[in-house]
């Protein structure tokens, strides 16, 4: 075999050179493919980093929007609490001159007009302020009843005669409205009739 290799040394070298060239070409092709795949992986990693940055920014924006929304809700609640307290104080002051024992038509006529719109505003402020519904509802219901009595006295031409049931209802209503309004404000009138 050595003899054959020595005799055909040129051919063997040519074949070896051809195989070497083929292997080198295959190695270059594989290296090129490896470089391409590495480039694709690098681009994919870069895109993942960009997506992660976008997700982080989106999460930050959502957090900031949530915080702003919470602040708006808190501000709206605080404003509603102030409005409710102010309205409760106004009604307490107005009711200070009413006796809770007997119906005095002149005192009812002297009260500021309690309008449906005022009662709606009062109820909406109570809802936004998230106060105990029983207190706000009791105050609004009692004020509505007093508004009806106030209207009845205003349209009456002659002196009013009130039944015992109306007088009892009036007494309970005035006391309940005052009690409910006191729970909604820190204001206390200088003097109240009982």
């Amino acid at each position: 075999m050595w003899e054959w290799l020595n005799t055909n040394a040129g051919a063997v070298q040519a074949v070896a050179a051809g195989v070497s060239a083929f292997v080198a070409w295959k190695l270059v092709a594989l290296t090129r493919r490896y470089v391409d795949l590495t480039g694709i992986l690098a681009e994919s990693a870069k895109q993942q980093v960009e997506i992660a940055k976008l997700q982080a920014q989106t999460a930050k924006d959502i957090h900031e929007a949530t915080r702003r929304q919470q602040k708006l809700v808190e501000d709206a609640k605080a404003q509603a609490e102030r409005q409710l307290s102010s309205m409760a104080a106004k009604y307490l002051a107005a009711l200070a001159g009413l006796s809770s024992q007997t119906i005095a038509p002149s005192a009812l006529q002297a009260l500021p007009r309690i309008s449906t719109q005022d009662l709606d505003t009062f109820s909406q402020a109570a809802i936004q302020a998230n106060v105990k519904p029983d207190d706000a509802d009791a105050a609004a219901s009692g004020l509505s009843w007093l508004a009806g009595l106030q209207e009845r006295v205003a349209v009456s031409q002659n002196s009013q005669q009130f039944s015992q049931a109306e007088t009892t209802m009036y007494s309970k209503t005035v006391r309940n409205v005052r009690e409910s309004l006191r729970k909604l404000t820190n204001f206390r009138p200088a003097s109240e009739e009982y």
Side-chain angles (χ1 to χ4, degrees):
M1 168 151 165
W2 289 110
E3 200 175 297
W4 183 84
L5 284 175
N6 282 335
T7 323
N8 297 312
V12 170
Q13 282 182 344
V15 168
V19 169
S20 214
F22 176 76
V23 169
W25 173 79
K26 201 59 167 161
L27 186 59
V28 167
L30 287 174
T31 303
R32 179 68 184 164
R33 179 75 177 138
Y34 177 74
V35 168
D36 290 345
L37 289 175
T38 304
I40 291 170
L41 288 174
E43 186 61 33
S44 176
K46 184 179 174 184
Q47 288 175 354
Q48 287 176 351
V49 167
E50 291 301 317
I51 289 170
K53 285 180 183 178
L54 287 173
Q55 286 175 334
Q57 184 61 44
T58 301
K60 183 180 174 184
D61 292 347
I62 289 171
H63 175 72
E64 183 62 28
T66 301
R67 190 187 64 72
R68 282 194 309 265
Q69 184 179 13
Q70 265 182 332
K71 178 77 170 113
L72 288 173
V73 167
E74 289 169 3
D75 290 348
K77 182 180 179 196
Q79 182 179 359
E81 287 170 349
R82 287 190 300 273
Q83 183 181 22
L84 183 65
S85 179
S86 172
M87 292 182 82
K90 177 181 98 172
Y91 290 132
L92 267 177
L95 294 175
L98 289 183
S99 167
S100 62
Q101 302 303 314
T102 59
I103 301 174
S106 60
L108 278 172
Q109 288 175 332
L111 275 179
R113 177 97 171 96
I114 302 170
S115 71
T116 305
Q117 183 179 2
D118 287 342
L119 292 175
D120 289 344
T121 302
F122 180 84
S123 295
Q124 286 301 318
I127 290 168
Q128 287 181 335
N130 200 24
V131 298
K132 187 176 173 189
D134 294 346
D135 297 331
D137 291 346
S141 175
L143 287 168
S144 178
W145 188 85
L146 286 172
L149 186 62
Q150 187 182 35
E151 184 67 30
R152 184 175 148 203
V153 167
V155 297
S156 174
Q157 298 295 329
N158 53 10
S159 64
Q160 289 287 320
Q161 294 295 322
F162 299 102
S163 69
Q164 181 61 35
E166 286 176 314
T167 303
T168 303
M169 181 67 171
Y170 169 81
S171 296
K172 286 181 183 178
T173 300
V174 170
R175 282 194 301 272
N176 289 343
V177 168
R178 284 178 178 161
E179 182 181 320
S180 297
L181 290 173
R182 282 188 196 107
K183 293 177 183 177
L184 302 174
T185 185
N186 292 327
F187 170 79
R188 297 295 179 263
S191 64
E192 287 183 292
E193 291 205 25
Y194 292 93

